[in-house]
């Protein structure tokens, strides 16, 4: 094997090398660019809104490390907080003061959360929330929505399925059909489908888990009253409502979608922003339910590195920098770029629908409104791939899949946004 120093290799050389020792050359599949074609670039460093690739190219980044970087990359305050914690040690395996501080920070910011447990990823958060819901209710079935992603939890890797009312079949090899059979699938934004599901299985359903704004199939916003309908139907049947706010928590408002929409879930899962760019997840909710967790209760959940001091320091620093002014600015930035692209697409006669909420927006090459997973699937994904590559040539990095959401950060200032819009307008033209 070539001995040349990895730091001196370009992206293509690194990818070749990576494929020899890492499955598919990546540590998380979507990074491999399979759905847009081509091979991924490697990032050498990142600062603010800019990624610098191993090829020495600067890209305006609309992925923001898939959500965490709400303050931009390599934020100086987060760096300083991590450095301060680093000075005291990297991991203790005992409780530490920063864990109390972040728990209080979460509880004071999210109304529905009275107690919270930290873990290491969004996947752990949803997995644990579901186990807790099952342990608390004594029921096994879970409802999930087609097109929602909650991490690579066995019983949640069940997505596709035709029709609104189907018993789950696993999406991934290695997930026993018997696990998936406990997962009931439903179409998001379809009032009747969930009502029917509950009239059939209501007394067996431990919980609904939902991305309140589904953001793993582009971005879908709830129809008027839909989340309230989920709240009501779960209450009527003694089931729990779990909001997966791994993407939206501390990003679309301090209290996430639940604050924006005025809905109180029983449990919530968090990740991404709450870790300030370090590996963190968390789940929390009503104290009475959270107290079912070990060591007080019968539901086991644990983690060697849970509450890690460096991760807690990063997360706390990220949370402390959020306030209503930040969310207002991000909302305005999201609206600005969406509006600019919509009107340019219209001018060029390109069928483009953009769904946007705060600092998240998704592009669908689709002439019609996108309100359901079926609508998402009617979008022109080949056109998205062409647009993605054209944007890269213009210096803008969009999510490498038509089913992902774009993220903004506070580092996407006026000047950066104007440059990005100019580049994306050019990319719309050249990819047409
Ligand atoms: N839930 C949602 C809504 C997510 O978007 C993701 C990841 N994109 C997860 C859970 C899983 O989080 P992680 O990748 O940190 O395990």
């Amino acid at each position: 094997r070539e001995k040349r120093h990895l730091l001196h290799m370009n992206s293509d050389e690194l990818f070749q090398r990576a494929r020899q020792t890492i499955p598919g050359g990546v540590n998380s599949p979507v990074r491999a660019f399979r759905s847009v074609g081509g091979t991924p670039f490697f990032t050498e460093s990142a600062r603010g809104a800019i990624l610098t690739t191993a090829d020495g190219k600067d890209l305006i980044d609309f992925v923001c490390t898939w959500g965490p970087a709400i303050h931009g990359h390599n934020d100086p305050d987060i760096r300083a907080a991590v450095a301060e914690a680093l000075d005291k040690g990297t991991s203790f395996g005992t409780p530490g003061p920063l864990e109390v501080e972040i728990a209080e920070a979460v509880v004071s910011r999210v109304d529905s959360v009275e107690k919270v447990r930290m873990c290491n990823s969004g996947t752990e958060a949803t997995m644990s929330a579901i186990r807790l819901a099952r342990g608390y209710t004594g029921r096994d079935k879970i409802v999930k929505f087609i097109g929602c992603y909650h991490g690579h939890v066995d019983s949640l890797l069940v997505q596709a399925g035709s029709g609104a009312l189907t018993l789950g079949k696993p999406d991934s090899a290695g997930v026993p059909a018997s696990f998936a059979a406990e997962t009931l699938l439903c179409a998001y934004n379809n009032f009747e489908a969930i009502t029917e599901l509950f009239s059939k299985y209501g007394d067996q359903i431990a919980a609904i888990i939902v991305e309140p704004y589904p953001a793993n199939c582009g971005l879908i916003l709830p129809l008027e009253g839909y989340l309230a309908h989920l709240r009501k139907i779960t209450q009527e049947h003694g089931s729990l409502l779990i909001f997966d706010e791994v993407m939206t928590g501390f990003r679309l408002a301090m209290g996430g979608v639940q604050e924006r929409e005025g809905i109180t879930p029983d449990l919530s899962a968090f990740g991404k922003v709450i870790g300030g760019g370090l590996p963190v997840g968390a789940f929390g909710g009503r104290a009475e339910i959270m107290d079912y967790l070990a060591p007080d209760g019968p539901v086991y959940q644990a983690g060697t590195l849970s509450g890690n001091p460096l991760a807690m320091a990063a997360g706390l620093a990220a949370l402390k920098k959020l306030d209503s002014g930040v969310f207002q600015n991000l909302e305005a930035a999201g609206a600005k770029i969406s509006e600019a692209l919509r009107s340019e697409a219209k001018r060029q006669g390109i069928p483009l629908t953009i769904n946007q909420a705060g600092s998240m927006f998704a592009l669908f090459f689709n002439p019609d409104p996108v309100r359901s997973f079926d609508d998402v699937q009617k979008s022109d994904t080949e056109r998205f791939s062409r647009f993605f590559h054209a944007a890269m040539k213009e210096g803008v990095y969009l999510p490498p899949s038509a089913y992902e959401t774009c993220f903004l950060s506070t580092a996407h200032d006026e000047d950066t946004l104007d440059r990005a819009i100019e580049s994306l307008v050019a990319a719309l033209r050249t990819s047409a």
Side-chain angles (χ1 to χ4, degrees):
R1 191 171 295 169
E2 200 183 348
K3 279 280 185 288
R4 202 147 61 93
H5 199 291
L6 292 168
L7 285 178
H8 299 138
M9 291 187 182
N10 67 28
S11 291
D12 285 343
E13 292 166 332
L14 281 164
F15 192 51
Q16 287 259 348
R17 182 82 170 252
R19 291 176 72 151
Q20 293 168 29
T21 49
I22 304 174
V26 291
N27 279 311
S28 194
V30 70
R31 295 181 198 165
F33 280 23
R34 292 287 164 87
S35 67
V36 289
T39 55
F41 65 86
F42 278 57
T43 299
E44 195 263 325
S45 65
R47 190 169 297 265
I50 305 295
L51 290 180
T52 302
T53 73
D55 316 298
K57 189 172 176 188
D58 281 351
L59 297 169
I60 300 177
D61 178 22
F62 285 101
V63 183
C64 288
T65 184
W66 302 94
I70 197 166
H71 304 297
H73 292 285
N74 215 347
D75 174 75
D77 296 319
I78 297 177
R79 238 182 28 228
V82 173
E84 194 186 325
L86 183 58
D87 217 36
K88 298 177 181 161
T90 56
S91 175
F92 308 135
T94 73
L98 291 174
E99 293 169 74
V100 186
E101 199 180 339
I102 202 164
E104 290 177 358
V106 173
V107 167
S108 69
R109 283 165 173 78
V110 187
D111 283 347
S112 71
V113 176
E114 294 172 349
K115 287 194 177 178
V116 62
R117 171 130 326 150
M118 306 307 295
C119 52
N120 304 290
S121 69
T123 296
E124 275 187 51
T126 59
M127 176 186 78
S128 305
I130 278 181
R131 183 178 308 138
L132 178 57
R134 285 174 163 154
Y136 177 78
T137 58
R139 300 172 179 182
D140 290 340
K141 293 207 185 302
I142 292 289
V143 176
K144 92 168 270 293
F145 293 92
I146 298 163
C148 281
Y149 175 71
H150 304 289
H152 57 103
V153 179
D154 278 339
S155 56
L156 297 177
L157 274 181
V158 190
Q159 296 182 9
S162 55
L165 261 175
T166 50
L167 282 172
K169 271 210 236 106
D171 250 10
S172 164
V175 177
S178 57
F179 290 16
E182 301 297 350
T183 306
L184 303 168
L185 291 174
C186 192
Y188 182 85
N189 266 346
N190 183 330
F191 286 73
E192 296 76 39
I194 194 75
T195 305
E196 235 178 278
L197 204 56
F198 268 82
S199 63
K200 200 162 170 197
Y201 298 103
D203 60 352
Q204 300 171 52
I205 295 172
I208 289 180
I209 184 164
V210 63
E211 291 181 78
Y213 290 1
N216 280 286
C217 46
L219 177 67
I220 301 177
L221 300 176
L223 294 177
E224 177 83 38
Y226 188 67
L227 295 174
H229 182 61
L230 300 184
R231 180 61 288 184
K232 184 158 172 283
I233 206 161
T234 41
Q235 254 155 2
E236 285 168 0
H237 289 84
S239 309
L240 300 186
L241 180 62
I242 305 172
F243 271 11
D244 177 350
E245 299 234 37
V246 166
M247 271 203 203
T248 51
F250 309 104
R251 173 167 275 282
L252 293 189
M254 193 67 88
V257 174
Q258 50 196 278
E259 179 186 312
R260 281 173 80 104
E261 301 284 338
I263 304 289
T264 307
D266 300 294
L267 293 173
S268 302
F270 302 103
K272 304 197 189 254
V273 171
I274 203 175
L278 269 76
V280 182
F283 62 104
R286 286 212 312 277
E288 171 221 351
I289 304 172
M290 293 301 289
D291 286 340
Y292 264 67
L293 285 173
D296 282 345
V299 177
Y300 197 72
Q301 190 276 337
T304 300
L305 291 171
S306 294
N308 174 269
L310 303 187
M312 297 304 98
L316 264 169
L319 296 188
K320 282 182 187 163
K321 282 179 73 110
L322 296 172
D323 59 34
S324 56
V326 167
F327 293 114
Q328 269 164 25
N329 291 343
L330 288 170
E331 189 76 54
K336 173 178 165 150
I337 190 161
S338 303
E339 209 29 69
L341 295 177
R342 274 188 206 113
S343 62
E344 179 61 24
K346 195 166 171 199
R347 213 181 56 73
Q348 293 186 31
I350 295 170
L352 179 67
T353 291
I354 301 182
N355 288 350
Q356 176 252 334
S359 56
M360 295 166 68
F361 63 99
L363 305 142
F364 303 97
F365 288 100
N366 187 326
D368 300 313
V370 176
R371 301 194 186 100
S372 69
F373 187 59
D374 282 347
D375 296 339
V376 170
Q377 287 188 304
K378 287 179 196 137
S379 310
D380 183 345
T381 53
E382 272 170 34
R383 188 168 201 154
F384 179 86
S385 300
R386 292 201 303 276
F387 179 62
F388 168 85
H389 287 291
M392 283 280 283
K393 278 208 188 85
E394 298 288 338
V396 174
Y397 177 48
L398 297 172
S401 158
Y403 296 119
E404 302 286 350
T405 303
C406 302
F407 292 100
L408 287 167
S409 76
T410 54
H412 291 73
D413 56 15
E414 285 286 320
D415 174 56
T416 310
L417 273 185
D418 288 340
R419 279 190 292 132
I421 290 168
E422 205 176 299
S423 301
L424 291 173
V425 164
L428 276 177
R429 200 177 324 111
T430 55
S431 63

